Amino acid sequence: MTDTLRKLLSSAFVGFCALSVLIALVPLAFILFFVVTQGIRAINFDFFTHLPRPVGEAGGGMANAIVGTLIVTGLASLMAVPIGIVSGIYMSEYAGTRFAAAVRFAADTLNGVPSIVVGVFAYGVAVLPFKQFSAMAGGFALGVMMIPIIARTTEELLLLVPGSMREGALALGATRARAVFTVVLPAALPGIVTGVVLALARIAGETAPLLFTSFNNRFFTTSLTQPISTLTVQVFTYATGPYEDWHRQAWAGALVLVTIVLLCSLLARFATRRLERMHARS
Amino acid sequence: MAQAWRKDIGFRAGTGVFALLLIGIVGAIGVELTLQSMKSINQFGLDFWRTEIWDPVAGEFGALPFIWGTLYSSILALLLATPIALGIAVFISELCPAALRQPLVFLTELLAAIPSIVYGLWGIFVLVPAVRTLEASLPGAVRSLPMFSGPPLGLGMLSAALVLAIMVIPFSSSVAREVLKSVPSAQREAAYALGATRFEAIRAALFYARTGIIGAVMLGFGRALGETMAVTMVIGNNPQVSVSLFAPQYTMAAVIANEFTEAADELYLAALVEIGLVLFIITLVVNTMSRLLIWSMARSGAKAPAAEPAAAPVPGTA
């Protein structure tokens, strides 16, 4: 191969890589563009304060679904935050042990389980025995998905805390528990909170695990033992339905979901930046 | 002294119980799905996966169309996504100016953060009509090929593969980026020192990182196999085995999402759970293999001496 050809090939390759980035950013721009333009046209005050109207009637909103999403994700965090953080502590404190490796493997495996499969599992464990779709079953399903994310984030952040801090505490006579809870964990806490926020954002956008756990409900409810509406399931119902007005509201719901995700990502990004700067200074 | 030791044991056991829960959940998923699908497993055996007819009303349950749809759509998505994902990884880690790196990472990760249902909504109302127009505008000679046969509906395999490809790109590219980061810079420097062009140096780095790169691609494959909402909304939901990209088809995840709440009798429900069980096992195997590959790459990368010879011969310099 001549040198000119090699150089040409190289330039073509660089061009292809740059083009790849563009190819990936085009759909992103398209999706954001449509969600924002279609969503803004559809969103109004009623969307946040009204219940869905009877089938065929225009207007109404998703007040019940917004509250439902808050309740179901709240339940999921109640379950996943303690389990995730404490198992994360185990994995980082006893990082070299075989059991920690097994837990890490289980966390990664759980993270890769398709969300629909988690839904089927939650149906068998939390719906079937009670013969009732419920907010709690939905919270359980989302909790199962949230645990591995929080556990792995906690583990990684705890491992970033300088060993000297832990050793300092131990040298002063602190027990392992005391060293972890008063020194190591507080040092990593801002990062862990960021991780929890990101996990929440991801969980709030899940649909598949809720289809047959929390199901759907056209009415307003805060009962944990009743089926409950959520933003994502409502968007699915409306998007696949036949009415123009439903489609309009589906876009509004999508706009709310994307806004939540975007805000959480930006928040997390700024928080991580501040953390990095803090670490750089110390 | 002894007391402190006892307290530490308590701490270890206490946190260990929570950690054990994680292993317990994975086990429970496998056990629960197996138990719930026993009826279908006993009734149909392996024929379940060889039968092409899915007619719940007549009590006929064959899962072949779903396996086919899942594999076909995921493989198509992988073919579309892999070159682009690798291109992005190379661009961000090797080529782009440092100031551009963080914003690009943020944007590609945003692609992964957008909820599946939003992809589905966009798919139904924007992508599917566009695909329909594209399909209809193809010349007749192309349309007569088996891969492009059938009416241009828009809803079908092509739309599903496209949505999946977009969704998989950020996963593969972020892992590939990490893997490339672990390639010792001596690899590239050695290539440059031998007079390699940029492409040749990066090819050497990619070759060095091949195990991890394959792992990254497989991770994307695992994601595609299990993706539910977006695919359900654009693939057309028709249980048939067809090579046509235009044909409405069905996937394992989609049939569970659509039919689970409608499954009136126990056998129907068990059949759907069995599909879930197999999806669980397939993704488990794919993800485990991918993680082993990435992990072995990370380990060998850490161990590799700085002055290892270039893994790929650089042509044109001999």
Side-chain angles (χ1 to χ4, degrees), chain B residues 233-248:
Chain B
M233 291 163 88
V234 301
I235 200 168
N237 298 333
N238 185 11
Q240 60 167 332
V241 177
S242 162
V243 291
S244 172
L245 295 177
F246 293 4

Side-chain angles (χ1 to χ4, degrees), chain A residues 62-134:
Chain A
M62 290 196 192
N64 57 338
I66 293 171
V67 172
T69 290
L70 289 178
I71 289 177
V72 174
T73 48
L75 288 171
S77 339
L78 278 183
M79 169 181 163
V81 171
I83 299 178
I85 290 186
V86 175
S87 46
I89 290 175
Y90 185 93
M91 282 191 277
S92 79
E93 281 298 307
Y94 303 101
T97 63
R98 207 172 286 176
F99 183 62
V103 175
R104 200 170 296 127
F105 179 77
D108 287 344
T109 302
L110 200 53
N111 208 1
V113 174
S115 55
I116 190 81
V117 172
V118 174
V120 174
F121 168 64
Y123 176 84
V125 174
V127 175
L128 217 48
F130 309 102
K131 300 196 164 36
Q132 170 82 6
F133 296 116
S134 68

Side-chain angles (χ1 to χ4, degrees), chain A residues 155-167:
Chain A
E155 182 206 3
E156 271 165 35
L157 286 161
L158 288 179
L159 286 174
L160 284 182
V161 176
S164 55
M165 286 179 72
R166 176 187 288 104
E167 284 152 20

Side-chain angles (χ1 to χ4, degrees), chain B residues 114-192:
Chain B
I114 290 177
S116 168
I117 185 83
V118 175
Y119 276 102
L121 183 71
W122 178 77
I124 287 186
F125 293 113
V126 183
L127 184 69
V128 165
V131 168
R132 191 183 302 134
T133 318
L134 176 83
E135 287 174 352
S137 69
L138 284 180
V142 178
R143 293 273 298 280
S144 62
L145 295 170
M147 260 189 106
F148 302 100
S149 63
L153 300 169
L155 285 175
M157 188 49 79
L158 183 58
S159 296
L162 285 172
V163 168
L164 272 180
I166 300 171
M167 297 180 76
V168 157
I169 285 172
F171 286 99
S172 299
S173 84
S174 84
V175 177
R177 211 173 59 225
E178 292 297 314
V179 168
L180 276 175
K181 224 191 267 175
S182 73
V183 175
S185 46
Q187 284 291 325
R188 300 174 189 92
E189 282 156 24
Y192 283 128

